[in-house]
Amino acid sequence: MDSAEEHRSKGSKRAEAVSGSDFLQLDVGQAPPGGRTEWLTDRIRAAIADGTLPVGSRLPAGRVLAAELGVSRGLVTEAYQRLADAGQVLGRGRAGTTVVAGPMPASVPAPVPSPMPVPAPAPVPRAPLSAAPTGQLGAIPSGGSHRPAGPFAPAVPSAPVVDALRGVPCRIDLSPGVPDLTAFPRTAWLQAERRVLAGLTAADFGYGNPQGTPALRAAVTGWLARNRGIRADPDEVVVVAGVAQALGLLAHVLRENGVRRVAVEDPGSLGARQQLEYGRLETVPVPVDGSGIDTAALRAGGAGAVLLTPAHQFPTGVVLDGERRRELLGWAAAGGLVIEDDYDAEHRYDRAPVPALRALFPEGVCYAGSVSKLLAPALRLGWLLVPPRLRDAVVAAKRYADLGNPILAQLVLARLMDSGELERHLRFVRRRHRSRRDAMLRAIAAHLPGARIHGAAAGLHLMVTFDGADFEDTALAAAALVLGVKAHPLSWHRIRPGSPGLVLGYAAGPPGELEEGIALLGRALGRLR
Amino acid sequence: MDSAEEHRSKGSKRAEAVSGSDFLQLDVGQAPPGGRTEWLTDRIRAAIADGTLPVGSRLPAGRVLAAELGVSRGLVTEAYQRLADAGQVLGRGRAGTTVVAGPMPASVPAPVPSPMPVPAPAPVPRAPLSAAPTGQLGAIPSGGSHRPAGPFAPAVPSAPVVDALRGVPCRIDLSPGVPDLTAFPRTAWLQAERRVLAGLTAADFGYGNPQGTPALRAAVTGWLARNRGIRADPDEVVVVAGVAQALGLLAHVLRENGVRRVAVEDPGSLGARQQLEYGRLETVPVPVDGSGIDTAALRAGGAGAVLLTPAHQFPTGVVLDGERRRELLGWAAAGGLVIEDDYDAEHRYDRAPVPALRALFPEGVCYAGSVSKLLAPALRLGWLLVPPRLRDAVVAAKRYADLGNPILAQLVLARLMDSGELERHLRFVRRRHRSRRDAMLRAIAAHLPGARIHGAAAGLHLMVTFDGADFEDTALAAAALVLGVKAHPLSWHRIRPGSPGLVLGYAAGPPGELEEGIALLGRALGRLR
């Protein structure tokens, strides 16, 4: 602060006005007349290229920089936009505008064709990620050589960080949680929508039932009976905008019912945990071992509810075993509430189906599922089954959240479920997903020595751990991002410390891309060791 | 409770089991073998017919009645369903299963063709609405002869009551808030969706920007610039699931910022007020007069924010005048936050457009709009513009609410806005709405003597008041419902007392239906006076 003041008073020609910025020591007096936007863009681009601004650095807010430089805000916005267009910065959300891509090192193989923008090559060598930042950027950690920068820098990752990673351009995306989206059944969807539109009455276009349209609630019960062994009445189903919303509604209702602490699996989904915490619930980590969640620790933790993924634990892939199931349902029968996130149960390859907990004890289990992994996350459509005692409160929460999901997509999905089209689609993508998983397994064996693989029998992702290794997995993920590959560090999904690892989605890309991605991860790993 | 115990011990043959219900003194021993579902259905139907169960009575929960009768829950469910199919009961939401239609009186004219189910005629004369309920139903008010039953009974209407009214079958629906839904542009929608589906990349089907897709945010800024005089950057727009969600998100963010009390217009929208209260904000009523909200009272009330409808106040139709605008914006400049619900501003007939407050003072005004009155409420799609200081918090709230609106409808709407299709649609429905309004004005003059009309120059509804009259408008609405006509009593949308009145939507039905509905309202009014 002192040095900023000092700089400001030195750099300013007018006593009160600010005509220069501490950021990169920019002085607009150095810009050629009529070329100030280009000048500013070039100055920032050079700072990225020479490592002054490593991946993860934040640019100043546009209005702040504009005021300091004494230029219009539009000029700064334009400069930032040019950098964004080149894939070098990302301007979204609470994180402000962030450097997301360093220069591509010369040693990276030629990119495979990809719809994602590739960062422009820079003329000077890439600075090491550990380069100590200069100027106002001292907030970025610059300690040990394995401390990553960029989205992987914070000790406790925040939701905006995950969102920021999602927005970073890359060549190969191995983030978990997305199915093969090229397979989305566009024709079937459009045909179903045509029939839906032809059949709607005028009243159907009005305000509907916040719980969901009866046709979809009935179709969901059919789907769950056929595919998940759950017998439910349509009146127990609440149509929601995906599992994220389901958790938000439940958080509200749990708090209304006096619950303040919810147990979560550790490791477990970062996103789900953040969702509960945003809903003002404290999350209590409970260890997961080879049999699933530690039910003794759950009992000891004193939480009123537990969120878990029993069919294919995220991210370990462990199946909750019979003994633990009995203990868990005993805990529920004694008054605990189980929230079952059945996020990818329909995707399995080498193992028998695992029954849903909801099928065993409907009175004690809330069950959440969605089409995000069956069709596409962008549809924002899912379902929540709740015990009778919570139903009215959950429907009220949904009502006040948004008055209910949009009608058209609900009716289209009901048609796809009722006609068997969704099951056909699932069989189709399952074959693809299996061959992609196999490709990733082969690539890991070839390129990631020392990686132990977990949870390959089902789902859309693998977990790998590097047991006994002493690097930080955020450093590995950051190094991979520099090589154009996105993956989640396992530590993002951990609360207590453990082996470094990665969570690797394999469903979204073709086998060749997966193999290349894993090979680049191997290269990043080699640099760390 | 004592009499219930007594009845149970008398009616039970087995010492522990319960084999009869106090409800209608039902004893399953009286049912013919193999005909118990029909027996139960008939007993309830007869109780509705003879006035034992007037409109608004609640049936016992299915599981309770099943346990008391010693029959399966499915049997009770089936009996209730048969009554629901006949339009006599409604089983939804926190309100449980409720009697929603008494027998049709013989004096009602033959029904016009309607897709809504008409209650089956009953063999015995209708009991007066004021009939004192029997048995367990003593909770329903049974006081003066003008005290209504059913959805209009409670002194303070609750959201489930409004939802229940929406679900009640009727012949003519004059509820406010719905445009002409027969005009929904199905073909244009489907064509746009075909093009959208053809143009989407695989990545577009993934998790999107919670703030909304850039294409729609840009299209909304264009729409608002052309139609509402608002100049905004797409980055200021948050795509939401309608104004209800916008209010829920703002309630969350306001609480985070320490605001506990929000001023609302009185009279004003019941639904909006309930939305804020569900978001744990206290609502502070501020009177509305012929110039709009009373800004002196607003200042005196000490609320941190105010929700208002300046272009066409709901329900009065008053336009906020220039002097009040200046005072309101002064209040905002001093730190207050204005939430502008521009719910039906695009619909006007006999007056010049009213500029949005947002256009005058973007830093102090949140602006919410939606397609509910432009296209259809069932789309659940709208927009929220927020001042820069609140943007990140509102986007975070939207993120945790549902990770963002579904992508397909966003892109379809963007196309309809960008192509001019939505403006064409608006011009088309405006002509229809105007002729419907004129039909309603004529009918009110003919059939509702003493009714004063408010707010006819714009919007989709009228307000009428019966100044100096001494009946309760809930009684009028209840009497109208018995005649098959739905309308909102003005008192639902008032906090402090005032003249009885009605809020009458005219956009949804054809002129002939409106005229008949008003004539029936006149008949109901005649019975009260």
Side-chain angles (χ1 to χ4, degrees):
Chain A
M1 273 301 153
D2 284 359
S3 68
E5 290 304 320
E6 187 187 25
H7 175 82
R8 219 168 255 159
S9 50
K10 276 197 298 190
S12 172
K13 301 247 166 83
R14 289 158 292 173
E16 293 301 311
V18 175
S19 72
S21 170
D22 336 44
F23 174 66
L24 303 179
Q25 298 78 56
L26 296 171
D27 183 345
V28 79
Q30 300 169 356
R36 299 192 296 182
T37 307
E38 201 149 354
W39 164 81
L40 178 60
T41 313
D42 285 347
R43 288 293 305 267
I44 299 173
R45 188 178 285 135
I48 293 172
D50 70 10
T52 304
L53 294 176
V55 172
S57 310
R58 279 175 66 153
L59 304 189
R63 72 189 140 67
V64 173
L65 185 57
E68 292 180 349
L69 293 177
V71 301
S72 76
R73 186 167 172 190
L75 188 152
V76 177
T77 302
E78 170 64 19
Y80 283 14
Q81 188 58 49
R82 290 184 192 181
L83 295 162
D85 291 345
Q88 295 187 284
V89 304
L90 177 74
R92 285 286 172 275
R94 200 188 281 271
T97 300
T98 306
V99 177
V100 293
M104 293 288 278
S107 57
V108 168
V112 292
S114 156
M116 303 294 279
V118 173
V124 291
R126 185 177 59 86
L129 276 176
S130 57
T134 59
Q136 272 55 59
L137 301 166
I140 293 185
S142 55
S145 66
H146 286 167
R147 292 299 292 278
F152 302 107
V156 177
S158 66
V161 161
V162 179
D163 289 347
L165 179 67
R166 194 171 279 149
V168 172
C170 71
R171 286 179 36 239
I172 298 174
D173 191 349
L174 303 180
S175 300
V178 180
D180 178 7
L181 296 173
T182 64
F184 184 86
R186 302 177 195 221
T187 307
W189 185 275
L190 194 66
Q191 282 176 352
E193 180 142 341
R194 179 182 300 114
R195 292 201 189 95
V196 163
L197 276 167
L200 281 184
T201 67
D204 292 329
F205 285 107
Y207 291 95
N209 186 335
Q211 191 181 351
T213 190
L216 179 57
R217 289 188 281 122
V220 165
T221 60
W223 175 268
L224 294 176
R226 292 195 301 278
N227 293 285
R228 298 297 296 126
I230 294 173
R231 292 189 62 82
D233 186 277
D235 206 43
E236 298 169 60
V237 178
V238 182
V239 175
V240 294
V243 172
Q245 183 176 62
L247 295 180
L249 301 179
L250 286 174
H252 185 99
V253 170
L254 286 174
R255 273 194 67 88
E256 271 185 345
N257 282 268
V259 175
R260 293 291 178 273
R261 303 170 79 230
V262 173
V264 294
E265 296 168 312
D266 183 19
S269 163
L270 168 65
R273 181 160 38 104
Q274 290 172 330
Q275 196 76 36
L276 295 174
E277 286 164 0
Y278 192 81
R280 300 180 301 128
L281 293 171
E282 183 191 343
T283 57
V284 181
V286 177
V288 171
D289 61 23
S291 303
I293 195 168
D294 180 340
T295 40
L298 170 64
R299 275 195 304 272
V306 61
L307 169 64
L308 76 174
T309 49
H312 184 243
Q313 203 274 331
F314 185 91
T316 66
V318 164
V319 176
L320 189 68
D321 78 8
E323 180 61 24
R324 294 280 174 85
R325 276 170 188 254
R326 278 188 292 278
E327 290 175 5
L328 186 70
L329 295 179
W331 176 83
L337 182 74
V338 173
I339 304 169
E340 178 174 29
D341 178 1
D342 207 31
Y343 70 110
D344 68 358
E346 292 89 352
H347 301 282
R348 62 192 167 75
Y349 314 105
D350 314 317
R351 69 164 206 218
V354 178
L357 288 173
R358 168 81 191 186
L360 305 175
F361 187 48
E363 294 78 10
V365 180
C366 296
Y367 174 94
S370 81
V371 298
S372 294
K373 276 122 198 123
L374 283 170
L375 284 167
L379 296 175
R380 307 310 311 130
L381 189 49
W383 41 87
L384 174 62
L385 276 59
V386 291
R389 66 191 148 108
L390 295 180
R391 201 205 68 131
D392 289 353
V394 169
V395 172
K398 173 63 177 170
R399 179 197 190 282
Y400 285 107
D402 53 22
L403 304 186
N405 262 60
I407 190 81
L408 291 178
Q410 288 190 69
L411 292 172
V412 169
L413 179 62
R415 277 194 167 261
L416 297 181
M417 284 179 158
D418 288 342
S419 66
E421 187 67 49
L422 190 57
E423 266 127 337
R424 275 193 292 282
H425 176 70
L426 179 59
R427 285 193 296 274
F428 173 76
V429 294
R430 192 185 277 158
R431 284 194 300 274
R432 275 206 194 180
H433 290 160
R434 178 199 287 268
S435 76
R436 290 171 180 197
R437 179 203 58 166
D438 294 344
M440 184 175 270
L441 289 173
R442 286 192 302 271
I444 291 172
H447 298 291
L448 293 183
R452 191 152 70 93
I453 294 168
H454 309 254
L460 304 172
H461 72 271
L462 304 171
M463 182 176 86
V464 298
T465 53
F466 301 93
D467 300 340
D470 69 348
F471 61 86
E472 289 185 33
D473 54 19
T474 50
L476 176 55
L481 187 59
V482 171
L483 299 175
V485 178
K486 240 185 250 183
H488 281 198
L490 174 56
S491 57
W492 271 12
H493 301 288
R494 278 191 197 286
I495 301 172
R496 295 154 315 133
S499 295
L502 294 171
V503 186
L504 300 168
Y506 52 73
E513 199 175 289
L514 297 174
E515 285 161 22
E516 190 193 349
I518 298 293
L520 288 168
L521 274 176
R523 181 176 308 190
L525 182 64
R527 291 180 182 177
L528 286 184
R529 278 176 159 171
Chain B
M1 273 298 151
D2 284 359
S3 67
E5 290 303 320
E6 186 186 26
H7 176 80
R8 221 169 254 158
S9 50
K10 277 197 297 188
S12 173
K13 300 249 165 85
R14 289 158 295 174
E16 294 299 312
V18 175
S19 72
S21 170
D22 334 44
F23 174 65
L24 304 180
Q25 298 79 54
L26 295 170
D27 183 346
V28 80
Q30 302 169 352
R36 298 194 296 183
T37 307
E38 201 149 356
W39 164 80
L40 179 60
T41 313
D42 284 347
R43 287 294 304 269
I44 299 173
R45 188 178 286 136
I48 293 172
D50 70 10
T52 305
L53 294 177
V55 172
S57 310
R58 278 175 67 154
L59 304 189
R63 71 188 140 68
V64 172
L65 184 57
E68 292 181 348
L69 293 177
V71 300
S72 76
R73 185 167 173 190
L75 188 152
V76 177
T77 304
E78 170 64 20
Y80 284 13
Q81 188 58 49
R82 289 185 193 180
L83 296 162
D85 291 345
Q88 295 187 284
V89 304
L90 178 74
R92 286 286 171 276
R94 200 189 279 271
T97 301
T98 305
V99 177
V100 292
M104 295 287 277
S107 58
V108 167
V112 292
S114 159
M116 305 292 280
V118 173
V124 291
R126 185 178 59 84
L129 276 175
S130 58
T134 58
Q136 271 56 58
L137 300 167
I140 293 185
S142 56
S145 65
H146 285 168
R147 292 301 291 277
F152 301 108
V156 178
S158 68
V161 162
V162 179
D163 289 348
L165 179 66
R166 196 170 277 149
V168 173
C170 71
R171 287 177 36 237
I172 299 174
D173 191 349
L174 303 180
S175 301
V178 180
D180 178 6
L181 296 173
T182 63
F184 185 85
R186 303 178 194 220
T187 306
W189 185 274
L190 194 66
Q191 282 176 352
E193 179 141 341
R194 178 183 301 115
R195 293 202 187 95
V196 163
L197 277 167
L200 281 184
T201 67
D204 292 330
F205 285 107
Y207 291 95
N209 185 336
Q211 192 182 349
T213 190
L216 179 57
R217 288 189 281 123
V220 165
T221 59
W223 175 268
L224 293 177
R226 293 194 300 277
N227 293 284
R228 300 296 297 126
I230 294 173
R231 292 189 62 82
D233 187 275
D235 207 43
E236 299 169 60
V237 178
V238 183
V239 176
V240 293
V243 172
Q245 183 176 62
L247 295 180
L249 301 178
L250 286 174
H252 185 100
V253 170
L254 286 174
R255 272 194 68 87
E256 271 183 345
N257 282 269
V259 175
R260 293 289 178 275
R261 304 169 79 229
V262 174
V264 294
E265 296 167 312
D266 183 19
S269 164
L270 168 65
R273 180 158 39 104
Q274 290 172 330
Q275 196 76 36
L276 295 174
E277 286 164 0
Y278 192 82
R280 301 180 301 129
L281 292 172
E282 183 192 344
T283 57
V284 181
V286 177
V288 171
D289 60 26
S291 304
I293 195 167
D294 179 341
T295 41
L298 170 65
R299 275 196 305 273
V306 61
L307 169 65
L308 76 174
T309 48
H312 183 243
Q313 203 273 332
F314 185 91
T316 65
V318 165
V319 176
L320 189 68
D321 78 9
E323 179 61 25
R324 294 282 173 86
R325 278 172 185 251
R326 278 188 292 279
E327 289 176 7
L328 186 70
L329 295 179
W331 176 83
L337 183 74
V338 172
I339 305 169
E340 178 174 29
D341 178 2
D342 207 31
Y343 69 109
D344 69 357
E346 291 89 352
H347 301 282
R348 61 191 167 77
Y349 313 105
D350 313 317
R351 67 164 206 217
V354 178
L357 288 174
R358 169 81 190 185
L360 305 174
F361 187 48
E363 294 77 11
V365 179
C366 296
Y367 174 93
S370 82
V371 299
S372 294
K373 277 130 198 111
L374 282 171
L375 283 168
L379 296 174
R380 309 307 315 128
L381 189 50
W383 42 86
L384 175 62
L385 276 58
V386 291
R389 66 192 149 106
L390 295 180
R391 202 205 68 131
D392 289 353
V394 168
V395 172
K398 173 64 177 169
R399 179 196 191 282
Y400 284 107
D402 52 21
L403 303 184
N405 262 58
I407 190 81
L408 291 178
Q410 288 190 69
L411 292 172
V412 169
L413 179 61
R415 277 194 167 260
L416 297 181
M417 283 177 158
D418 288 342
S419 65
E421 187 67 49
L422 191 57
E423 265 127 336
R424 274 192 293 281
H425 176 71
L426 179 59
R427 284 193 296 274
F428 174 76
V429 294
R430 192 185 276 159
R431 284 193 300 274
R432 274 205 195 182
H433 289 160
R434 178 199 286 267
S435 76
R436 289 171 180 198
R437 178 201 60 162
D438 294 343
M440 184 176 269
L441 290 173
R442 286 191 302 271
I444 290 172
H447 298 289
L448 293 184
R452 191 152 70 95
I453 294 168
H454 309 254
L460 304 172
H461 73 270
L462 303 172
M463 182 175 87
V464 298
T465 53
F466 301 93
D467 301 339
D470 68 349
F471 61 87
E472 289 185 33
D473 53 20
T474 49
L476 175 56
L481 187 59
V482 170
L483 300 175
V485 179
K486 241 185 249 183
H488 281 198
L490 174 57
S491 57
W492 272 11
H493 301 287
R494 276 193 197 285
I495 302 172
R496 295 154 315 132
S499 294
L502 294 171
V503 186
L504 299 168
Y506 52 73
E513 199 176 290
L514 297 174
E515 285 159 24
E516 192 194 346
I518 297 294
L520 289 168
L521 274 176
R523 182 177 309 188
L525 182 64
R527 290 179 183 179
L528 286 184
R529 276 173 160 172

